[in-house]
Structures are given as C-alpha cells and as structure tokens.
C-alpha cells in the first residue's frame, strides 16, 4: 500500500481519513461481507513509501518496516443510529466563507481542508448555530472510496475547534453505501458527540440532496 505525497494531512504524513479509506479497502478484500470498517491509526502514516499490509483473522495490520502504522477490522457504526442532519448545498455554500481554517489552521496544506491547497478536495466547513459543521463538496473526477473516507474526516474535526488546539484523527469507523458521481454537488455535515479529556468523539455524514451516501464516527486526539 502506498499513500501518494499529495494526500497529506500534516505536511509529512498521510491525511487520516484518506489513509483509513485505503486501509479499509484491504479489509473488504479479506472480509468481503464487511459493511463498516474501523481503522485505528497507530503512528503518522508515511507518504510516498511502500507499506506492508498483513491480513489476520480479525482484520489487517499496516506496517512501515517494524513500525505499526494502522490496524483495521470489520465493525458496526455503533452509537450512530441517525445521520447527521443535512443542509442544502446552497446553505453549506453560505456558511463556508466563515470556515475558521481561513483564519487559523494547524495544517494549511491538508489535502482535504487546507486553504493553501488548490489541488485538494477544498472542503471548508462552516459552523451552524447549533454547533454542527457543513461543507459543500463538488465531487472530483478521480473520486474513489478513499476520497469519500477523506471527506468524512475533516468536517468532524472542525466541530471541536482545531483552530485553537490542534487535533489529529485517532480512529474512524465508516460505511460507504454509495459512491457519488464526478461533479455531484454534495454536502458533508459533522457533529461533536462528546469530549473526554484529550479525545473528541464526532460523527459525519455525506449527503447528495436528501440521500445519505456515507457515514462515519471518529475519535480525534488533541496534540500535547
């Protein structure tokens, strides 16, 4: 498995959601009935270098030499019985200019939400009055399952306030029911479920109109 250098989160490591989506693909190969997959990131995923994926009875492990980078297994989206409520594409466009990352961003070259990236997904989640986030998302031509995992990542993190204290993705469980088509005008909504010390538990949903296409629950961890 190789994470291309353009798919970074922090400057020198892979975007957590995109990386998790690649890893999840290997779980689906080993365990075809799996619908949702839980991916735990154990170390910053290195870019542009071959990683070893080892299948096991419960899932897969991803290593860079002796370094354990990630583990993954089939899972259920427990605690997420309902999608994060949708907003229209036009509503998401209206609040996107208030994206806090335009003012302060811990990783401005992030492939998903970095304002310094012209070649990224450019998901800029604004905040709704109830604390949810919503980001307009025009689906790129090279959309893949890993792309969907990536777009389910950052809008959840921005429900926590990462502009004030940097967080990184620790674990994400996602289910992709349907891949959007290139050019679709979608929306990703996010909500903060709970904070627990340095951990923040969040949920996200990818919408195309009133159809939920994918959903995730994730744990973000504040950097010390």
């Amino acid at each position: 498995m190789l994470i291309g250098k353009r798919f970074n989160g922090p400057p020198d490591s892979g975007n957590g959601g995109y990386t998790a989506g690649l890893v999840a693909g290997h779980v689906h190969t080993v365990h075809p009935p799996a619908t949702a997959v839980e991916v735990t990131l154990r170390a910053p995923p290195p870019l542009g270098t071959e990683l070893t994926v080892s299948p096991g009875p419960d899932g897969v492990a991803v290593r860079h030499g002796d370094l354990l980078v990630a583990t993954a297994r089939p899972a259920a989206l427990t605690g997420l019985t309902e999608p994060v409520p949708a907003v229209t594409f036009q509503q998401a466009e209206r609040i996107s200019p208030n994206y806090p990352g335009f003012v302060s961003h811990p990783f401005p070259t992030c492939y998903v939400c970095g304002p310094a990236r012209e070649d990224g997904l450019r998901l800029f989640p604004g905040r709704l009055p109830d604390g949810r986030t919503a980001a307009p998302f025009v689906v790129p031509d090279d959309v893949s399952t890993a792309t969907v995992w990536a777009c389910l990542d950052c809008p959840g993190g921005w429900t926590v306030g990462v502009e004030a204290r940097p967080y990184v993705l620790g674990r994400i469980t996602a289910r992709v029911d349907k891949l959007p088509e290139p050019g679709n005008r979608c929306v990703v909504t996010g909500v903060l479920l709970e904070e627990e010390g340095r951990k923040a538990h969040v949920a996200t949903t990818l919408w195309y109109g009133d159809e939920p296409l994918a959903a995730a629950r994730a744990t973000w961890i504040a950097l010390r």
Side-chain angles (χ1 to χ4, degrees):
M1 189 183 99
L2 186 143
I3 308 164
K5 291 185 177 180
R6 70 179 287 239
F7 302 112
N8 66 288
D12 300 318
S13 59
N15 171 266
Y18 186 86
T19 299
L22 292 180
V23 177
H26 290 274
V27 175
H28 286 296
T29 299
V30 177
H31 300 275
T35 53
V37 177
E38 176 191 276
V39 180
T40 303
L41 300 176
R42 309 286 183 176
L47 297 167
T49 186
E50 200 66 40
L51 306 176
T52 302
V53 181
S54 304
D58 299 323
V60 301
V62 180
R63 290 182 172 85
H64 181 219
D66 294 331
L67 177 67
L68 181 63
V69 174
T71 55
R73 61 178 184 172
L77 276 175
T78 54
L80 187 59
T81 56
E82 296 292 335
V84 181
V87 301
T88 67
F89 187 86
Q90 291 74 21
Q91 287 173 306
E93 278 191 316
R94 281 198 293 270
I95 64 170
S96 185
N98 298 322
Y99 171 49
F102 289 140
V103 177
S104 177
H105 198 304
F107 309 118
T109 60
C110 173
Y111 164 69
V112 178
C113 67
R117 285 291 296 275
E118 293 296 332
D119 63 338
L121 296 183
R122 297 184 66 79
L123 265 70
F124 303 140
R127 292 187 181 134
L128 295 158
D130 62 4
R132 285 180 298 141
T133 58
F137 173 46
V138 179
V139 179
D141 290 341
D142 60 349
V143 62
S144 65
T145 301
T147 310
V148 173
W149 277 70
C151 77
L152 290 170
D153 178 13
C154 298
W158 285 97
T159 66
V160 188
V162 298
E163 73 274 19
R165 183 182 186 185
Y167 281 70
V168 292
L169 184 67
R171 175 176 291 157
I172 182 169
T173 303
R175 183 187 70 245
V176 179
D177 296 323
K178 184 178 179 181
L179 210 61
E181 297 289 336
N184 281 172
R185 289 152 60 95
C186 295
V187 174
V188 186
T189 49
V191 66
L192 175 63
L193 301 173
E194 181 185 11
E195 290 187 87
E196 176 191 358
R198 291 173 54 225
K199 295 181 179 179
H201 304 288
V202 306
T204 51
T205 303
L206 171 65
W207 295 90
Y208 180 50
D210 58 1
E211 180 184 9
L213 304 182
R217 178 168 178 158
T219 299
W220 285 65
I221 301 172
L223 299 179
R224 294 187 185 276

